[in-house]
Amino acid sequence: SVILIIAIGWLVSGQIKKIDNTNENLIILNENEQNDIKSNITNTVKIETKIFNASKIDQSIILQGQTIHNKKIDIKSEIIGNITKINFNKGDDIKKGSPLIEISKENRLELLNSAKKLIELYEIEYSSTKQLIDKGLSSKSKLGLASYNLADAKSKLKSIQIGINNTNLTAPFDGIITKKNIEIGDYVTPGKILLTIVNLNPIKIKGYLSEFDVDKVKVNTKAIIESSNGVKKIGKISFISPSAETTTRTFEIEIEADNNDLTFKSGVTTTIIIEGSELLAQKIPPSILTLQDNGNIGVKALNEKNLVVFYQIEKVKDTIDGMWVSGLPKKVNLIISGQEYVTLNQKIDLQ
């Protein structure tokens, strides 16, 4: 029995040795238990979470633009002559077909009459030669020559008629005279610019979309344009460039808006607002983003069972104090600190 008591005492003393002190109770563990506690302390990870709630945000795109004219043309002289009449002043609002300038006809009317008479003679010659050939009294070569002379005379007549028509210049479209380069009596030659016409209705607005925004809009998308003096108009996107600018990596767009009142001038700086739909999104700090091995970008969160989950997100827009993203539940408990130390499906004990 003595041996049994000693054996039991030895077993107990090998597990726990308790020393009573007046000031404290000190528990001394064996080596294995000490290692277990050290291991638990080492594996303890501190994380921080925060509840994020979704909000509706406006996806409208705001950018700067500039107005440009709808059409512009330099009216040039096609003939030689002197300016005999001018029916406009610089700045006039003119309509399509309005008479603008008259240039001297010189001897073109005389040339026209001569060409007409020559055609009559060649027509008689051609008809007579053809009759002789039918009777076997002439050769086909003479008929060919007569046919050539007639065609040549008709071509010259047409050229003279065009020259006469070009002595009277009219407006090719509605617009405003922005340049007047001639006066009565001026001698003009082919190619000389006489005046410039600009059309401002509809007005066009040019802007540039970022790579991030270009896929959010399409042709005929509604846009609001506000000039630097506060005038607003509603237009639609009429053009989206299929290729980016080499230096800026932005895409040119054009918007057309009714400008019948001509309140928008060409070359004015504008603000373009391209309306977008409302979207549920959360604003998160970019520092909590996680990149998975497969390249997906997202965030880690805790579900209702406190298990670590991953949500792939899509950036909606950047702001100074955070990033708006979609792809998350309306209410989500995101890991905002220590996310790099936890793995998916890991159980987290919150304190």
Side-chain angles (χ1 to χ4, degrees):
S1 62
V2 175
I3 296 174
L4 178 60
I5 292 172
I6 293 173
I8 293 174
W10 177 78
L11 288 172
V12 172
S13 64
Q15 297 295 322
I16 300 176
K17 182 179 179 182
K18 183 174 183 180
I19 302 175
D20 291 327
N21 259 330
T22 57
N23 295 328
E24 63 179 354
N25 290 329
L26 177 62
I27 299 178
I28 301 176
L29 304 179
N30 64 23
E31 185 177 353
N32 290 335
E33 290 172 324
Q34 291 178 17
N35 288 337
D36 289 341
I37 290 178
K38 289 180 180 179
S39 178
N40 289 334
I41 294 173
T42 303
N43 291 333
T44 299
V45 175
K46 183 179 180 181
I47 67 169
E48 185 180 355
T49 64
K50 182 179 178 181
I51 301 294
F52 287 81
N53 293 302
S55 302
K56 286 185 178 180
I57 64 168
D58 184 4
Q59 293 192 95
S60 295
I61 302 168
I62 301 176
L63 60 149
Q64 295 300 304
Q66 187 178 43
T67 57
I68 55 176
H69 47 259
N70 179 40
K71 296 185 217 173
K72 179 181 178 181
I73 188 171
D74 292 325
I75 303 293
K76 300 178 181 180
S77 174
E78 300 289 338
I79 58 173
I80 294 173
N82 294 94
I83 303 297
T84 59
K85 191 173 183 180
I86 299 174
N87 299 312
F88 66 88
N89 290 309
K90 185 178 179 180
D92 282 356
D93 185 2
I94 50 102
K95 299 297 182 181
K96 179 179 180 179
S98 301
L100 299 173
I101 295 173
E102 290 183 15
I103 303 174
S104 60
K105 292 181 174 60
E106 305 296 325
N107 63 340
R108 293 182 179 88
L109 293 178
E110 290 80 1
L111 292 174
L112 179 67
N113 291 328
S114 296
K116 287 179 178 179
K117 291 179 180 178
L118 191 60
I119 288 175
E120 291 177 359
L121 291 175
Y122 282 138
E123 284 177 340
I124 293 172
E125 180 186 22
Y126 178 81
S127 179
S128 299
T129 304
K130 191 173 184 305
Q131 289 177 1
L132 291 174
I133 288 177
D134 293 341
K135 295 178 181 180
L137 299 176
S138 183
S139 64
K140 289 184 178 180
S141 60
K142 288 185 177 180
L143 181 64
L145 179 61
S147 176
Y148 171 79
N149 290 336
L150 179 59
D152 184 57
K154 288 181 177 180
S155 176
K156 289 179 179 178
L157 175 64
K158 185 176 181 180
S159 178
I160 294 169
Q161 288 174 329
I162 291 174
I164 293 173
N165 292 338
N166 286 336
T167 62
N168 295 286
L169 303 181
T170 59
F173 50 76
D174 295 353
I176 298 172
I177 307 293
T178 59
K179 289 183 181 179
K180 176 187 175 187
N181 302 323
I182 40 85
E183 297 295 340
I184 298 289
D186 285 356
Y187 181 76
V188 296
T189 57
K192 177 178 174 58
I193 297 176
L194 309 177
L195 68 146
T196 301
I197 303 174
V198 170
N199 177 276
L200 298 177
N201 186 36
I203 192 71
K204 292 182 178 179
I205 303 92
K206 181 189 292 186
Y208 292 87
L209 282 172
S210 68
E211 293 176 296
F212 178 70
D213 290 328
V214 69
D215 290 330
K216 296 180 181 178
V217 301
K218 57 184 178 180
V219 173
N220 291 324
T221 297
K222 181 181 175 182
I224 299 173
I225 306 98
E226 183 175 359
S227 66
S228 53
N229 57 5
V231 178
K232 290 184 179 181
K233 289 185 179 292
I234 297 175
K236 291 182 179 180
I237 296 176
S238 58
F239 170 76
I240 302 174
S241 176
S243 57
E245 297 289 316
T246 305
T247 53
T248 61
R249 311 308 304 167
T250 56
F251 293 80
E252 179 185 341
I253 64 168
E254 281 186 8
I255 299 167
E256 289 188 7
D258 179 79
N259 192 37
N260 191 50
D261 56 3
L262 300 180
T263 52
F264 271 25
K265 312 302 181 184
S266 182
V268 175
T269 300
T270 61
T271 298
I272 302 171
I273 303 173
I274 303 174
E275 294 186 344
S277 59
E278 289 187 335
L279 177 71
L280 280 175
Q282 280 100 336
K283 185 166 67 173
I284 65 172
S287 59
I288 71 173
L289 294 179
T290 298
L291 177 64
Q292 288 191 313
D293 293 337
N294 59 6
N296 291 335
I297 297 176
V299 290
K300 288 180 179 179
L302 296 183
N303 63 15
E304 63 280 359
K305 297 180 180 179
N306 289 337
L307 295 176
V308 178
V309 293
F310 177 84
Y311 291 107
Q312 186 175 344
I313 56 94
E314 182 176 348
K315 184 174 74 171
V316 176
K317 64 180 179 180
D318 286 317
T319 62
I320 297 176
D321 58 345
M323 174 192 296
W324 285 93
V325 299
S326 61
L328 300 175
K330 289 184 179 181
K331 183 177 182 180
V332 61
N333 190 17
L334 295 183
I335 301 174
I336 60 174
S337 176
Q339 64 268 25
E340 64 271 24
Y341 302 118
V342 295
T343 58
L344 297 184
N345 296 318
Q346 182 178 342
K347 175 78 172 180
I348 301 298
D349 293 326
L350 298 181
Q351 296 182 357

